[in-house]
Amino acid sequence: MDQPRHQIDWRNGNVPVSRQFDDPFFSLENGLEETRHVFLTGNALPARFKPDFHIAELGFGTGLNLIAAALAWEESGQQGRLHFTSFEAFPLAADDLRMALAGFAGAAPYVDLIATALAGDGKITTAQLSAQIIFGDARVTLPAWDGRADAWFLDGFAPARNPELWEPALLAQVARHTAPGGTCATYSAAGAVRAALADAGFTVTRIPGYGRKRHMTQGVLS
């Protein structure tokens, strides 16, 4: 896989910070709990899980969202596989990925799988998970995708720093690739993001965010 690797620095010893976007990959307080609050609770998961449930994501990052979803799927007792598709333009190098995930309980079974996927074809298959990381600019790769998701994790870097992943045209593609009654969630409560999601067809609600973030956004496809 010849996709350019994300260049990072480290904060507090183990929190990766993007040099390109000058933004951390996850909360400085507790990245896994942030993921669970924003993306699982924000999409009413695991309560909505059902056979062949499909999650899609903008911004794979460290894979922490994938791990949180996979752990929730296992704990919910669902039969079959959780489907997970993520769009990522700048994947992490394997060593950086391992360091970023080292401190998270429950992540260990997935670290090698994710590292191999990022170095290869982006695919992860286990008895309970079927995942695909699609490399490249999501503004190109998402319109070409033939899938539809039951829930979206919108996890680009902050809109002011990474506006490409929050463009109205791309969020309209998110809506077009959402199953009827599907949902989306993001840590961002920016007015432009909420307006673009509403214009795309989501009924948008601002709810309490995680930690020091007062608000976040969830949406249901109308």
Side-chain angles (χ1 to χ4, degrees), residues 50-99:
K50 60 184 180 180
D52 294 319
F53 195 85
H54 198 146
I55 295 170
E57 174 184 58
L58 293 183
F60 183 76
T62 63
L64 196 58
N65 298 342
L66 167 64
I67 292 170
L71 292 173
W73 180 265
E74 294 170 12
E75 293 164 4
S76 72
Q78 291 290 323
Q79 299 300 309
R81 291 189 177 101
L82 171 68
H83 298 274
F84 194 101
T85 303
S86 187
F87 298 84
E88 175 60 62
F90 303 104
L92 285 173
D95 287 348
D96 290 334
L97 173 82
R98 294 178 193 281
M99 185 170 175

Side-chain angles (χ1 to χ4, degrees), residues 136-148:
D137 189 328
R139 293 172 295 179
V140 176
T141 57
L142 176 52
W145 184 48
D146 62 2
R148 288 200 301 178

